[in-house]
Amino acid sequence: LTVFQRTATFTWPSQNKPLTDDEQARIKASYRDLRTQQYESFSGPAGTTGPVMLAFATADAPFKASTPEGARAALALPASLTAQASSEKTVGFGVSGGLSLPMGDLSNGVEAGYNVTGHLYLKPAALKAFRLRGDVSYDSWSGKSEGFNASSLGFMGNAVFDLGTSGSSVKPYILGGVGMHNFKTKTSAGPIDVEGSSTDLAIQAGAGLTFQLSGFSTFAEARFVNVFGEGESLNFVPIVFGIRF
């Protein structure tokens, strides 16, 4: 007797379970959104990790994991996109950097500079397209006159609203935030340095595009920052590229 044994194939939990009436009603109410996700994905899955396919069973013919239909559904479910799963993280971190363009009166004294920002993301589970984001940013500019430079250290809290469909790999978003900026100037005249500093209320608004990849995402963003200084406001526009994970 000769026995031929093939190499074992990769397997995964099928996640089969009986569905309650509420679960079936919730999934059936989302058919249109699921079909949109399937249409926009490269391989057809709706991008969920739960037993969505089970809800297609009728009430008088309950789903059974031992049936061929059950096996096909179990195989289809774990094939969801990693990108979709990663975008639903409750807590995330990011970093970005790029150009910082002075505007208004600020542009009269400084050249274009650079921006670096660290991000903390919080996604409330109950809100599908809404996220919170905390920013710690640093902008620096060289002066148009010799020996002068300026910088701003910002702490901002933002509300981010994602646009487009949830299954898309490229998603636009808008944001708005409020916080504080510490603006500093330094003028060097020979051996003498004259420094100034002011901490003031700031607001910002912006928009960007998120590019969802496997396990993380990248984004391109522009935002308008207004710092309410004494007697006048300081404006600048960071245009950045970042990564979120």
Side-chain angles (χ1 to χ4, degrees):
L1 175 64
T2 301
V3 177
F4 296 94
Q5 181 174 346
R6 60 172 291 177
T7 303
T9 58
F10 177 78
T11 60
W12 54 81
S14 64
Q15 305 183 32
N16 295 331
K17 70 171 186 177
L19 289 180
T20 65
D21 292 341
D22 289 342
E23 288 175 316
Q24 291 195 43
R26 175 178 56 81
I27 296 172
K28 290 178 179 179
S30 304
Y31 277 174
R32 183 178 297 277
D33 186 46
L34 293 174
R35 293 305 188 197
T36 300
Q37 293 181 39
Q38 291 172 333
Y39 178 78
E40 294 179 347
S41 71
F42 68 91
S43 59
T48 64
T49 56
V52 174
M53 295 295 292
L54 311 190
F56 288 87
T58 59
D60 57 345
F63 178 87
K64 291 183 171 32
S66 59
T67 64
E69 292 78 8
R72 286 193 292 270
L75 291 174
L77 295 175
S80 59
L81 300 178
T82 304
Q84 176 67 17
S86 66
S87 67
E88 298 302 322
K89 290 180 180 178
T90 303
V91 179
F93 302 91
V95 62
S96 64
L99 190 65
S100 183
L101 298 177
M103 308 293 288
D105 293 338
L106 182 60
S107 65
N108 295 329
V110 299
E111 304 283 0
Y114 67 87
N115 167 279
V116 290
T117 305
H119 310 280
L120 171 64
Y121 294 89
L122 299 175
K123 182 172 179 62
L127 301 176
K128 186 175 182 181
F130 178 79
R131 288 178 287 135
L132 299 175
R133 191 181 88 181
D135 294 344
V136 179
S137 62
Y138 180 77
D139 295 82
S140 180
W141 308 273
S142 296
K144 291 184 176 180
S145 58
E146 186 177 354
F148 178 77
N149 59 71
S151 64
S152 186
L153 177 64
F155 300 87
M156 303 292 289
N158 307 280
V160 183
F161 187 77
D162 294 313
L163 307 175
T165 58
S166 59
S168 176
S169 60
V170 179
K171 248 193 248 189
Y173 63 89
I174 56 176
L175 67 88
V178 63
M180 303 296 292
H181 267 258
N182 176 247
F183 188 81
K184 291 184 177 181
T185 59
K186 181 178 179 180
T187 304
S188 298
I192 301 176
D193 290 337
V194 179
E195 297 184 354
S197 178
S198 176
T199 301
D200 300 289
L201 178 69
I203 59 174
Q204 68 179 11
L209 288 173
T210 297
F211 305 93
Q212 191 67 54
L213 304 174
S214 179
F216 67 99
S217 63
T218 60
F219 61 92
E221 176 182 292
R223 55 186 187 270
F224 177 82
V225 183
N226 184 91
V227 183
F228 296 97
E230 294 183 7
E232 61 180 1
S233 294
L234 300 173
N235 309 128
F236 52 95
V237 177
I239 302 174
V240 300
F241 180 82
I243 183 171
R244 177 164 65 96
F245 46 88

